[in-house]
């Protein structure tokens, strides 16, 4: 894995000291008919509305038509336009190549068809200039967006973003809109980790940025579908799904060094100590409750399924065992932030000890229900189990925090203590 630099604390850009603040990349492949009109329209808009120096870079992805000639002519005719020729195809490859060598502190890209209204460009890059955000994306799926496109592309776009939300827990709303920007320092840290060179490039960039704790700003856009788009929908969708699987597997195994990308401690207001609240407790409670709610639903579903073929005690024990293993793994990763395989088996074993406590409570509750006399209904059994699980939940959280995953708590406390004793001018 290529090493990557740590990010500095967020701060506004010194735009008055930089000749070129914004570099807008237009990746193209066989766009001889549309390229000149696109670049001239973009140049006119930036000249009229953008208050700082800018550059437009045409990144030609191994075009076989007259696109290189058109790009060279624009390079000669307009001072703020430059042309770059790549001998291999791939939008991601083009963006990586230009962004890696650009001297502009803010980097952006947009599709050559200019489907996105250019009035969104300044709102897109303003949060990056001010230091508020690390990346910015145009979104066609926000409430304020105004979009004109056919039902096929609408369905594909929403389905793809649903896959990202469910498969990778992504929180950004629109990964595919060809209208994005990133700060140079964030790009320098992220690009070495991005493997894709095609259409999945910017999705991968966004997922890694989000998992590293970077802030992604979203701008609702006006967007009109280009009916002559050359994008091969089926092939692109297949490649994207492969990319989702690859990234999901890397995140699950802890193969990506995202901790190295995090901002210095204290840059995020959530780092600040709250009197009377142990550091990390609030976030861990939210994660534990979320995992617990999902585990309870899984447990009740498994119990109902197993109850069809076995008695209540056996069904309860088997359902609780399976949900406990999944619960420990989910809490390990999501609630307490423990990555990698180190001590994973030991923590699962400790989780099973915690499971026996839950088993004792729920089994005892079922036994008490049976001792009350009569044949209890399935609804009564579920009600008793829910109450018993709620009673076991608080104890389970305390045991996970204090016994199974104490290193996560101690690390957070040490960070808080370190921040408390640092002098204002010190660095980490």
């Amino acid at each position: 894995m290529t090493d990557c630099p740590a990010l500095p604390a967020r701060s506004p850009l010194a735009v008055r000291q930089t000749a070129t603040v914004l570099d807008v990349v237009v990746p193209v492949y066989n766009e001889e008919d549309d390229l000149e009109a696109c670049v001239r329209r973009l140049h006119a808009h930036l000249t009229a509305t953008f208050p700082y120096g800018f550059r437009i870079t045409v990144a030609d992805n191994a075009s076989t038509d007259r696109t290189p000639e058109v790009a060279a002519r624009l390079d000669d005719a307009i001072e703020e336009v430059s042309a770059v020729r790549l001998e291999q195809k791939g939008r991601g490859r083009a963006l990586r190549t230009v962004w890696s060598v650009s001297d502009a502190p803010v980097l952006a890209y947009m599709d050559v068809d200019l489907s996105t209204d250019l009035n969104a460009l300044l709102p897109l890059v303003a949060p990056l200039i001010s230091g508020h955000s690390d990346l910015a994306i145009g979104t066609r799926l926000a409430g304020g967006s105004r979009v004109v496109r056919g039902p096929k592309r609408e369905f594909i776009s929403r389905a793809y973003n649903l896959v990202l939300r469910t498969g990778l827990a992504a929180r950004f709303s629109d990964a595919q809109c060809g209208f994005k920007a990133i700060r140079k320092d964030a790009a320098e840290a992220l690009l070495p980790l991005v493997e894709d060179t095609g259409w999945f490039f910017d999705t991968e960039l966004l997922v890694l940025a989000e998992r590293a704790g970077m802030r992604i700003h979203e701008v609702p856009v006006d967007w009109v579908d280009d009916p002559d788009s050359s994008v091969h929908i089926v092939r692109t969708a297949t490649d994207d799904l492969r990319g989702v699987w690859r990234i999901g597997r890397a995140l699950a195994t802890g193969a990506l060094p995202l901790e190295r990308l995090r901002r210095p401690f204290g840059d995020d207001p959530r780092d600040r100590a709250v009197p009377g609240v142990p550091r990390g407790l609030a976030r861990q409670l939210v994660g534990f409750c979320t995992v617990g709610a999902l585990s309870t639903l899984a447990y009740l579903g498994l119990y109902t399924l197993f109850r069809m073929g076995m008695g209540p005690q056996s069904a309860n024990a088997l359902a609780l065992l399976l949900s406990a293993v999944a619960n420990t793994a989910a809490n390990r990763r999501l609630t307490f932030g423990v990555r990698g395989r180190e001590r994973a088996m030991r923590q699962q074993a400790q989780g099973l000890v915690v499971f026996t406590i839950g088993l004792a409570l729920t089994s005892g509750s079922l036994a008490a229900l049976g001792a009350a006399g009569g044949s209890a209904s399935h609804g009564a059994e579920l009600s008793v189990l829910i109450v018993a699980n709620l009673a076991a939940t608080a104890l389970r959280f305390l045991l996970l925090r204090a016994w199974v995953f104490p290193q996560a708590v101690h690390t957070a406390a040490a960070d808080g203590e370190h921040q408390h004793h640092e002098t204002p001018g010190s660095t980490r």
Side-chain angles (χ1 to χ4, degrees), residues 163-170 200 203 207 210-211 243-244 247-248 251:
V163 168
L164 294 180
R165 286 177 175 269
T166 55
L168 298 178
F200 188 69
T203 298
V207 170
E210 189 172 74
R211 288 302 185 96
V244 170
I247 292 299
L251 292 173

Side-chain angles (χ1 to χ4, degrees), residues 238-253:
T238 302
D239 292 342
D240 287 346
L241 291 177
R242 290 197 189 101
V244 170
W245 170 255
R246 174 174 55 81
I247 292 299
R249 183 175 57 187
L251 292 173
T253 59

Side-chain angles (χ1 to χ4, degrees), residues 131-321:
H132 175 272
S133 301
D134 301 293
L135 298 88
I137 65 173
T139 175
R140 300 160 295 183
L141 303 180
S145 303
R146 295 179 290 187
V147 177
V148 179
R149 62 176 166 182
K152 180 180 179 180
R153 285 184 174 270
E154 180 75 12
F155 172 78
I156 291 173
S157 179
R158 291 188 178 274
Y160 178 62
N161 283 282
L162 179 61
V163 168
L164 294 180
R165 286 177 175 269
T166 55
L168 298 178
R171 296 189 299 273
F172 47 85
S173 65
D174 190 352
Q176 292 177 309
C177 183
F179 195 72
K180 297 181 174 72
I182 184 171
R183 283 176 62 117
K184 174 70 173 179
D185 54 4
E188 289 175 340
L190 288 171
L191 289 179
L193 302 181
V194 179
E195 295 184 17
D196 192 82
T197 59
W199 292 97
F200 188 69
F201 171 87
D202 41 352
T203 298
E204 184 172 353
L205 189 77
L206 289 173
V207 170
L208 297 183
E210 189 172 74
R211 288 302 185 96
M214 297 185 189
R215 176 176 284 151
I216 301 174
H217 179 72
E218 297 197 2
V219 178
V221 298
D222 297 345
W223 195 87
V224 179
D225 189 17
D226 177 15
D228 299 323
S229 175
S230 60
V231 178
H232 193 290
I233 295 178
V234 176
R235 184 171 63 243
T236 301
T238 302
D239 292 342
D240 287 346
L241 291 177
R242 290 197 189 101
V244 170
W245 170 255
R246 174 174 55 81
I247 292 299
R249 183 175 57 187
L251 292 173
T253 59
L256 293 167
L258 298 181
E259 288 295 332
R260 281 188 273 162
L261 302 184
R262 296 191 183 279
R263 297 281 184 181
F265 191 86
D267 179 75
D268 191 324
R270 292 171 294 184
D271 294 336
R272 299 167 189 164
V274 178
V277 178
R279 183 167 297 278
L281 178 60
R283 181 190 61 77
Q284 290 175 358
L285 278 172
V286 171
F288 179 79
C289 289
T290 302
V291 171
L294 295 176
S295 297
T296 300
L297 291 175
Y299 160 74
L300 293 175
L302 289 170
Y303 176 82
T304 300
L305 177 64
F306 296 147
R307 189 66 176 86
M308 296 177 183
M310 60 183 69
Q313 293 287 5
S314 299
N316 172 61
L318 186 55
L320 198 58
L321 174 62

Side-chain angles (χ1 to χ4, degrees), residues 11-219:
S11 62
L13 297 176
V15 292
R16 299 297 180 186
Q17 303 173 14
T18 306
T20 302
V21 173
L22 173 66
D23 192 348
V24 183
V25 182
V26 182
V28 291
Y29 173 73
N30 288 350
E31 298 287 355
E32 62 180 6
D33 295 331
D34 298 329
L35 177 57
E36 182 164 3
C38 160
V39 171
R40 290 192 177 276
R41 179 182 164 197
L42 176 59
H43 180 266
H45 178 83
L46 287 169
T47 301
T49 64
F50 194 69
Y52 309 113
F54 65 87
R55 180 190 307 118
I56 300 171
T57 302
V58 179
D60 173 29
N61 293 196
S63 294
T64 57
D65 63 359
R66 295 180 56 256
T67 296
E69 300 173 26
V70 178
R73 187 168 65 246
L74 290 167
D75 190 338
D76 292 338
I78 305 175
E79 181 181 357
E80 292 85 2
V81 174
S82 63
V84 175
R85 167 74 177 181
L86 286 82
E87 298 303 330
Q88 293 178 288
K89 291 177 61 177
R91 181 179 70 175
R93 179 178 287 106
L95 294 177
R96 181 198 302 277
T97 300
V98 177
W99 285 356
S100 296
V101 299
S102 178
D103 59 351
V106 177
L107 310 167
Y109 93 88
M110 62 183 61
D111 294 335
V112 69
D113 56 19
L114 295 186
S115 295
T116 304
D117 185 72
L118 292 176
N119 287 327
L121 183 54
L122 186 55
L124 184 80
V125 301
L128 309 186
I129 295 174
S130 69
H132 175 272
S133 301
D134 301 293
L135 298 88
I137 65 173
T139 175
R140 300 160 295 183
L141 303 180
S145 303
R146 295 179 290 187
V147 177
V148 179
R149 62 176 166 182
K152 180 180 179 180
R153 285 184 174 270
E154 180 75 12
F155 172 78
I156 291 173
S157 179
R158 291 188 178 274
Y160 178 62
N161 283 282
L162 179 61
V163 168
L164 294 180
R165 286 177 175 269
T166 55
L168 298 178
R171 296 189 299 273
F172 47 85
S173 65
D174 190 352
Q176 292 177 309
C177 183
F179 195 72
K180 297 181 174 72
I182 184 171
R183 283 176 62 117
K184 174 70 173 179
D185 54 4
E188 289 175 340
L190 288 171
L191 289 179
L193 302 181
V194 179
E195 295 184 17
D196 192 82
T197 59
W199 292 97
F200 188 69
F201 171 87
D202 41 352
T203 298
E204 184 172 353
L205 189 77
L206 289 173
V207 170
L208 297 183
E210 189 172 74
R211 288 302 185 96
M214 297 185 189
R215 176 176 284 151
I216 301 174
H217 179 72
E218 297 197 2
V219 178

